[in-house]
Amino acid sequence: MVRFAIFGAGAWGTALAIHLARAGQVVTLVPRREEQAALMRSQRQNEARLPGFSLPDNLHVDADSDQALANSDVVFLGCPSVGLKDLCHSLSVSPALRVGGHGHVLISLAKGLEQKTLDVPSRVVQAALPYSDFGILSGPSFASEIAAGKPAALVLAMHGPSELIEDIQCALSNAAMRIYLSDDILGVELGGCLKNIYAISAGICASLDLGSNATSALLTRALNEMVTLSVAMGADLRTLYGLAGFGDLMATCSDDQSRNRTFGKRIGRGESAEAILASQGSVVEGYRACDCFYQLCQKRGLVAPILNQIYAVLFECKPARQALTDLMTRSLKAEH
C-alpha cells in the first residue's frame, strides 16, 4: 500500500486528499498551521478553501510535518509556486524525511515558475532535495469537481523505478480519476504554467464580448504559442497536445472556476491588476507566470506575440482593446 501526505491545505490539495481517502488510500493532509488543522478536524471540512465538501472519516489532518512524513511514502507538494522553495527547505531539515533508495517520493502540484530564478518546480525541488525521486501531477483539475467525485483525467510525469511509478499511478486511479504516465517532466510543468497566462487573455476576451470566433482563434494561437515556447525550452511536442497542455488550456480558459480567467475578466472591465490581487486571498498563478515567461522570452529571443500583449496589459497599463488591435494588425503570415 502507498501512503500519502499532502503538504498544503488549499483547495486543490484538499480535493486531492478527499479523492485519495475516498479511494481507500492512507492519506494525511498537512495544513501550515495547527489552528487550521484543528478547525478542519472539528468541522470535517475545509471551510476557508473548499467549503461544502465533507472530509472522509479516514482522511487524517495533522499540522505536524514530521509525523506526516514518518507515516507516508509519497509527498504531494500542494503549495503555490511562490511558496515551493520555502516548503522544500522545511522538508529538507526534517529528520523524518527519507532520501535516496527507498526514500520519499516528492510530487509537485505547483503550476508556476520560481520568480527570482525563473526555475520550473522540478529544479526548485531538486535544488533543495537532490536525492529524492520526483514527479509532477497536472492536467485539467478544478478542485470542486475532484472533491465532488466527477470524472477527470490527469498526467503524472516521473522519473524513477517503473514499478514504483505504476504503484502510484494505480493508487491515484479509480472510476473517478484516470492517471496517464509521462516521462516529460519539463513539458508537463511548462504546460501547467503557460496555460494560466492564456486563461487571463480568455477572460479579457469574455469581458470585452469579442465573441466565439475571437475566443476560438485566441485559444488556437495560444496553443501554438505554448508549443513553440515549450519545445524551444526542451519539452516534448507531444506533451503540449495532451492533458497537461491542450487539456488544461481548454478547461482553464473556458470556465469561471478558473481564478486566472476571472482575473482576466476583471482586467478587461478596466480594473488594475494590483487592485484585483489585493482584493482576493487566492494566488493568481498566471499573473506571476506572465512576468516570468516574458523575462525568459526576452533572454532567449523567443517570439510570443500573445504573451507579450498580455504582459503589456498587466504590467505596462496598456488598454486591452489596444492590445487586441495590435495582435490583429500584425504582419500577415501563413499558418504552420
Side-chain angles (χ1 to χ4, degrees):
M1 176 177 288
V2 182
R3 301 173 301 167
F4 295 91
I6 300 176
F7 280 74
W12 178 211
T14 302
L16 183 59
I18 291 173
H19 163 75
L20 284 167
R22 211 160 38 208
Q25 304 299 327
V26 176
V27 56
T28 301
L29 182 61
V30 189
R32 286 190 299 171
R33 301 180 305 278
E34 174 54 37
E35 57 267 30
Q36 183 186 7
L39 185 63
M40 290 174 64
R41 284 195 298 266
S42 65
Q43 294 181 337
R44 297 312 298 172
Q45 70 168 309
N46 188 346
E47 188 173 6
R49 297 298 184 190
L50 194 65
F53 295 97
S54 298
L55 303 182
D57 292 340
N58 63 326
L59 170 55
H60 305 286
V61 181
D62 192 347
D64 186 334
S65 58
D66 289 340
Q67 185 68 28
L69 285 170
N71 294 325
S72 64
D73 308 300
V74 175
V75 176
F76 284 103
L77 308 174
C79 64
S81 58
V82 68
L84 186 59
K85 181 179 286 187
D86 287 344
L87 174 57
C88 290
H89 176 73
S90 69
L91 294 179
S92 70
V93 298
S94 172
L97 183 73
R98 306 186 303 272
V99 295
H102 300 287
H104 282 94
V105 176
L106 306 178
I107 300 177
S108 173
L109 304 178
K111 294 183 177 181
L113 303 185
E114 208 284 317
Q115 203 153 19
K116 290 184 180 179
T117 62
L118 306 182
D119 282 338
V120 290
S122 60
R123 294 189 186 123
V124 175
V125 174
Q126 290 168 341
L129 300 159
Y131 302 110
S132 297
D133 289 320
F134 175 79
I136 183 161
L137 182 67
S138 192
S141 49
F142 290 124
S144 62
E145 295 185 9
I146 299 296
K150 295 182 179 180
L154 305 178
V155 58
L156 174 64
M158 280 191 65
H159 295 156
S162 59
E163 183 176 344
L164 170 65
I165 295 173
E166 290 172 3
D167 284 346
I168 297 172
Q169 179 189 29
C170 289
L172 284 167
S173 299
N174 65 4
M177 184 179 289
R178 183 174 176 83
I179 300 296
Y180 290 86
L181 295 180
S182 170
D183 60 3
D184 183 19
I185 291 177
L186 178 61
V188 171
E189 291 178 306
L190 291 175
C193 296
L194 282 164
K195 59 90 182 180
N196 286 325
I197 302 171
Y198 299 107
I200 294 175
S201 67
I204 293 173
C205 272
S207 67
L208 295 180
D209 193 25
L210 300 182
S212 297
N213 293 340
T215 302
S216 297
L218 170 71
L219 298 189
T220 303
R221 298 309 300 170
L223 178 61
N224 179 75
E225 202 162 283
M226 284 175 61
V227 171
T228 300
L229 295 179
S230 298
V231 171
M233 294 178 188
D236 187 325
L237 170 76
R238 296 168 295 181
T239 302
L240 279 301
Y241 287 109
L243 290 165
F246 176 73
D248 214 355
L249 177 71
M250 293 303 295
T252 311
C253 289
S254 62
D255 197 304
D256 282 343
Q257 293 182 79
S258 164
R259 290 192 294 268
N260 295 282
R261 175 182 159 87
T262 54
F263 175 81
K265 289 175 76 171
R266 294 178 67 177
I267 290 290
R269 290 196 293 264
E271 297 182 59
S272 71
E274 294 79 7
I276 301 169
L277 294 171
S279 70
Q280 58 185 51
S282 55
V283 174
V284 179
E285 289 280 24
Y287 177 77
R288 299 175 185 274
C290 185
D291 184 26
C292 292
F293 277 98
Y294 180 82
Q295 294 180 53
L296 281 173
C297 288
Q298 295 300 303
K299 289 180 179 180
R300 300 189 180 207
L302 300 174
V303 178
I306 301 174
L307 189 149
N308 290 347
Q309 292 300 331
I310 300 169
Y311 178 88
V313 171
L314 297 182
F315 296 97
E316 297 174 349
C317 299
K318 185 173 187 175
R321 286 196 179 275
Q322 183 59 53
L324 171 67
T325 299
D326 290 349
L327 282 172
M328 293 296 290
T329 56
R330 292 175 66 238
S331 59
L332 301 176
K333 58 191 291 187
E335 182 184 50
H336 297 292

